[in-house]
Amino acid sequence: MIELHNVTKYFRTTLGKKYILKDSTFSIPSDVNVGILGKNGAGKSTLMRMLGKIEFPNEGKIISDKSFSWVMGVGGGFQNNMTGRANVKFVCRIYGKSKKEIDKSIDFVKEFSELDDYFEMPIKTYSSGMKSRLTFGLSLAFDFDYLLIDETLSVGDARFRKKSKEALMKKIESCNVLLVSHDMGTLRDICDVGIVSHEAKLHYFDNINDAIKMYNTINK
């Protein structure tokens, strides 16, 4: 289970506090896939980063005994001066993988990401889409209770998007996913429940279709 207790997140600006989330409280039951919807700038990615413990609430707390992946999205979290291979190896070492496991992970990520020669080049030479493919492949190589995905499935051509979605569906047979997306079809295919971020509030729905209805209403 994931519990949010009076979670507030804001950023200080020259005009004062800019609230992204204000006093949000609800629980997400275990063993469900969660879709996160909202307009651009509504706080979806901020929520994901807080769940992944990249950022933290200004007030309140998030409680869970589950493990969360890093956020899989166009930003990535790599060392830009290191190669794709070196970044994968570095992450594997952080997670205490053996040499055999590291070699296996490197081979998997290289093949899945389809980066070819770029896999041996510094991350700073990558496009945002290439970083996303590396992030996606690396996340699939690890086991988490929840995968955090921020629009990654929209990266690449139609063939790679199909491949990524099929790989994700296979992966979530053994874990769950929190997915930020503007693709309603993908949300319906993958997610059970939904959260709509709107006007600094999070609205939780036990059915993803009800979340999509609210999202469509606020976008009319």
Side-chain angles (χ1 to χ4, degrees):
M1 180 175 288
I2 305 169
E3 299 179 358
L4 280 75
H5 296 276
N6 305 111
V7 171
T8 295
K9 180 67 176 178
Y10 58 80
F11 297 101
R12 297 186 183 277
T13 73
T14 56
L15 300 177
K17 295 178 181 177
K18 168 63 177 176
Y19 282 91
I20 307 301
L21 300 174
K22 185 180 287 188
D23 199 28
S24 290
T25 298
F26 62 88
S27 297
I28 303 172
S30 299
D31 302 321
V32 295
N33 296 321
V34 186
I36 303 176
L37 304 87
K39 293 181 178 180
N40 290 334
K44 305 183 299 297
S45 297
T46 299
L47 173 61
M48 294 282 272
R49 290 194 294 272
M50 287 194 293
L51 290 170
K53 297 183 179 179
I54 298 171
E55 294 187 19
F56 297 91
N58 297 98
E59 300 171 14
K61 57 186 176 180
I62 299 174
I63 301 173
S64 181
D65 59 355
K66 303 297 184 181
S67 61
F68 297 88
S69 76
W70 47 85
V71 180
M72 299 159 62
V74 297
F78 299 113
Q79 298 296 317
N80 283 331
N81 290 323
M82 291 166 54
T83 66
R85 176 186 292 274
N87 271 280
V88 173
K89 192 172 185 178
F90 177 71
V91 172
C92 287
R93 284 176 170 168
I94 289 176
Y95 280 84
K97 298 295 183 180
S98 66
K99 184 180 184 305
K100 183 177 180 180
E101 290 172 324
I102 291 174
D103 291 341
K104 183 178 179 181
S105 295
I106 288 173
D107 290 342
F108 173 82
V109 176
K110 182 177 182 180
E111 180 180 358
F112 183 88
S113 64
E114 300 179 7
L115 291 171
D116 300 322
D117 292 342
Y118 276 96
F119 192 69
E120 313 298 341
M121 296 174 64
I123 295 290
K124 63 185 178 183
T125 65
Y126 289 18
S127 66
S128 60
M130 292 164 71
K131 290 180 183 178
S132 291
R133 284 154 58 183
L134 187 69
T135 308
F136 195 91
L138 184 55
S139 293
L140 293 178
F142 285 79
D143 293 324
F144 298 100
D145 294 321
Y146 281 94
L147 293 178
L148 305 180
I149 306 179
D150 193 351
E151 294 286 7
T152 307
L153 294 179
S154 63
V155 172
D157 58 23
R159 181 195 59 79
F160 192 85
R161 290 197 300 271
K162 181 175 182 292
K163 170 185 171 179
S164 297
K165 187 173 180 179
E166 289 174 349
L168 175 61
M169 297 305 289
K170 178 68 175 177
K171 186 69 173 178
I172 62 178
E173 291 176 4
S174 58
C175 71
N176 291 111
V177 62
L178 287 100
L179 173 64
V180 169
S181 180
H182 289 98
D183 185 332
M184 301 301 112
T186 297
L187 288 167
R188 287 191 178 96
D189 287 346
I190 294 176
C191 300
D192 307 301
V193 305
I195 298 170
V196 180
S197 183
H198 182 57
E199 295 181 346
K201 290 288 185 181
L202 297 176
H203 305 267
Y204 175 77
F205 296 89
D206 288 321
N207 188 306
I208 187 62
N209 289 308
D210 292 332
I212 291 173
K213 286 179 183 177
M214 179 179 178
Y215 175 76
N216 288 336
T217 298
I218 64 178
N219 278 283
K220 284 184 179 179

